[in-house]
Amino acid sequence: EAIVEVKGICKSYGNVEALRDINLDFPRGKLTSLLGPSGCGKTTLLKIIAGLIGASAGSVTVDGKRVSGPGPERAFVFQDFALMPWATVLRNVAFGLELRGTGKAERDEIARRYIAQVGLSGFEDKYPHELSGGMRQRVGLARALSVDAEVLLLDEPFSAVDEQNRRKFQEDLIRLRSAQNKTFIFVTHSIEEAVYISDRIVLLSPRPGRVSQVIEPDIDRS
Ligand code: ADP
Ligand code: ADP
């Protein structure tokens, strides 16, 4: 069953055509990767699904409802994590809940829980500059998970993480996904990464971004 449906999406930036007539369904509870070379429109498509930018044509529906901007059922994890440098890990993670009007005691409690889930217990009072790239990435992931959105949209979240830690985060993501039964849409330009983590891969072709294929890797992770 599809939770997110994309119909007839087109997007141009001035005279640069980034996406042409994209039609896709994203199944609930699965991790779908958008895979393709740099510039093929992956980030553009993800941001349109997030409601962060508008499409030139077409529609996005989430749970059957048409959306035209950001909403609480979708959380976006930015490539650069978008952390507030002046705020602690706890405050950064709790920020998404703060925006949604959750009271301080409750949001701190929830934030601590997700900080623990991503393996950062003990770092609640540190500032982003005191953490490694991989740890900052986990703060961004904890913030996205803590708002309890059904759909998590991740834009190359491992690009700032070194090769050795990347596999560990990929495994964290696989584990978090099965523990939480959330829907993930994941942008990557790495075939290796897409095959390793995905239930489904959408292959976008460059110039202008079109869907060339939907692939379902048959991976036994047991
Ligand atoms: P990808 O994420 O696959 O690398 P993008 O979605 O970032 O692709 O970009 C798709 C195309 O749109 C590229 O040609 C890129 O240069 C162009 N593009 C993306 N964002 C903008 C923008 N804000 N203004 C102009 N062109 C853009
Ligand atoms: P990615 O690493 O996903 O390919 P980019 O590094 O291409 O993303 O783009 C980073 C940011 O710059 C994005 O917000 C994108 O919208 C913007 N951008 C990309 N290409 C252009 C462009 N040709 N002109 C203006 N902005 C762009």
Side-chain angles (χ1 to χ4, degrees), residues 13 16 37-40 42-44 47 53 79 155-156 187 189:
Y13 298 98
V16 178
S38 185
C40 74
K42 304 181 294 296
T43 297
T44 298
K47 286 185 175 170
I53 59 176
Q79 203 169 38
D155 186 9
E156 302 217 29
V187 162
H189 61 258

Side-chain angles (χ1 to χ4, degrees), residues 10-94:
C10 301
K11 177 69 183 179
S12 295
Y13 298 98
N15 53 13
V16 178
E17 187 182 25
L19 298 172
R20 182 188 295 178
D21 193 24
I22 304 291
N23 295 282
L24 284 170
D25 287 348
F26 295 90
R28 190 186 297 274
K30 304 279 186 199
L31 190 152
T32 302
S33 286
L34 302 175
L35 173 69
S38 185
C40 74
K42 304 181 294 296
T43 297
T44 298
L45 181 56
L46 196 73
K47 286 185 175 170
I48 289 171
I49 294 170
L52 297 174
I53 59 176
S56 313
S59 67
V60 176
T61 60
V62 180
D63 256 331
K65 285 191 223 58
R66 187 164 174 172
V67 295
S68 55
E73 71 296 336
R74 286 157 289 149
F76 196 93
V77 181
F78 291 90
Q79 203 169 38
D80 58 1
F81 330 127
L83 300 183
M84 303 177 290
W86 62 86
T88 62
V89 166
L90 181 65
R91 182 94 201 279
N92 266 290
V93 173

Side-chain angles (χ1 to χ4, degrees), residues 40-207:
C40 74
K42 304 181 294 296
T43 297
T44 298
L45 181 56
L46 196 73
K47 286 185 175 170
I48 289 171
I49 294 170
L52 297 174
I53 59 176
S56 313
S59 67
V60 176
T61 60
V62 180
D63 256 331
K65 285 191 223 58
R66 187 164 174 172
V67 295
S68 55
E73 71 296 336
R74 286 157 289 149
F76 196 93
V77 181
F78 291 90
Q79 203 169 38
D80 58 1
F81 330 127
L83 300 183
M84 303 177 290
W86 62 86
T88 62
V89 166
L90 181 65
R91 182 94 201 279
N92 266 290
V93 173
F95 184 63
L97 291 157
E98 194 175 338
L99 287 180
R100 281 157 207 233
T102 308
K104 182 158 170 37
E106 189 186 352
R107 67 179 186 250
D108 284 358
E109 189 201 319
I110 295 169
R112 284 179 197 284
R113 184 147 34 96
Y114 283 98
I115 289 169
Q117 274 213 19
V118 299
L120 287 179
S121 290
F123 291 88
E124 290 85 352
D125 298 327
K126 300 281 186 207
Y127 288 85
H129 70 87
E130 299 177 275
L131 308 178
S132 69
M135 292 163 91
R136 289 201 282 268
Q137 192 281 324
R138 282 186 270 168
V139 176
L141 191 58
R143 179 172 55 197
L145 288 167
S146 70
V147 297
D148 204 28
E150 267 193 275
V151 181
L152 281 113
L153 306 165
L154 301 105
D155 186 9
E156 302 217 29
F158 304 135
S159 56
V161 178
D162 63 66
E163 201 60 54
Q164 277 186 337
N165 282 310
R166 198 168 300 163
R167 179 49 47 94
K168 192 174 164 298
F169 292 127
Q170 290 167 349
E171 273 161 11
D172 286 350
L173 192 64
I174 291 166
R175 183 176 48 76
L176 285 167
R177 172 165 111 269
S178 40
Q180 313 243 346
N181 194 37
K182 292 187 187 293
T183 304
F184 289 80
I185 305 178
F186 189 98
V187 162
T188 182
H189 61 258
S190 161
I191 295 173
E192 198 273 341
E193 179 163 87
V195 171
Y196 189 72
I197 66 170
S198 312
D199 300 305
R200 227 155 150 264
I201 299 170
V202 171
L203 194 59
L204 289 169
S205 62
R207 266 182 305 189

